[in-house]
Amino acid sequence: MERKVGTCSRGIRGPIIREGDNLVDITVNSVLEACEAHNFSLNDRDVIGITESIVARSQGNYATVEAIAADVKAKLGGETIGVIFPILSRNRFAINLKGIAMGAKKIVLMLSYPSDEVGNALLTYDQLDQAGVNPYSDVLTLDKYRELFGDNKHEFTGIDYVQYYSDIITEAGAEVEVIFANQAKTILNYTKKVITCDIHTRVRTKRLLKEAGAEVVLGLDDILTTSINGSGYNTKYGLLGSNKATEDKIKLFPRECFDLVTAIQAQILAKTGKHVEVMVYGDGAFKDPQGKIWELADPVVSPAYTDGLIGTPNELKLKYLADNDFKNLSGEALKNAISESIKAKSSNLVGNMASQGTTPRQLTDLIGSLCDLTSGSGDKGTPIILIQGYFDNFTD
């Protein structure tokens, strides 16, 4: 009988994870129990995704604001520090800011505008146009910002992030000065010691600051790269990818976890004879058209994955074949012609017109986004995702 189902993504329920839990056994058992309970089986090249949150939880990768403060003070001297281009997020950045402020006497907070790097808006472009402000060159003081735009609350959270971040800094014991600018070197008019908090543009920002004469330039990925008084840490990403755990503690992005995904892959093979792919996933790489927010606030979609997930899709566009190569065919003849084209396709379709319009992204970004959308970020209780049929095509 001809198959009638293609790709299928299932959220797999699992237990609440605590530090020290054996995530390999928990993941494998959860998937196999779901197979048995719902009468489906694993196949070769199925994909198992594990959310980064439970990986970091099992690792106990947490840190306090005191640990952040100690590292910031040791690396930047504890006086006036420029904090530039943070995203506007209570979950992602507010606790980090508290720790940074505790490690300084004064924070010069430089916010990008009209929005942050991932699309959280302070203002709209219409507001800038009406005020005659050029965001590419104009530097606004807090007073000028308030004079022109007043109070601006986030569309979804209802938070005035300018006031919110200012209060965090002063409550942590530091003086605060807020400016609005989009050129990194602007901060050097206020201080030569800078923490740049952007995520995906951080390498360029660090380079520009160093070339412009900064004395010390760190990114969030340079803070908590080693343990501070027994704290969690992340050698590669530091504070990037961290989330609020409590009012005074963050959960960091998981540390090295390639051994985890390969161990899950090996145990599934031993128990079922099926060769699956496994990945740890965080934020998906997609943008919300309503709120204009780019979901990806983690440094990468996937910090670890098995070798079968390396690369990009190699697919033909069915509608291109139907509308061009086989435009005079229909019905079974059309189906057979397209099937033969797929079977005969090259292993590398780069530049082939019949592949135009297919998604030119890494497999891990595509599949990780599917995992993130399936698991959600709330109370679904499915931190493990099973994706089946992703690598199938029209001929399978």
Side-chain angles (χ1 to χ4, degrees), residues 223-245:
I223 301 170
L224 287 191
T225 53
T226 58
S227 180
I228 304 297
N229 300 320
S231 74
Y233 64 94
N234 191 303
T235 303
K236 186 173 184 179
Y237 296 119
L239 291 177
L240 285 180
S242 61
N243 294 83
K244 178 181 179 179

Side-chain angles (χ1 to χ4, degrees), residues 62-83:
Y62 292 85
T64 64
V65 289
E66 288 80 10
I68 298 172
D71 205 25
V72 167
K73 188 172 184 179
K75 290 175 176 175
L76 291 104
E79 297 295 324
T80 299
I81 298 172
V83 174

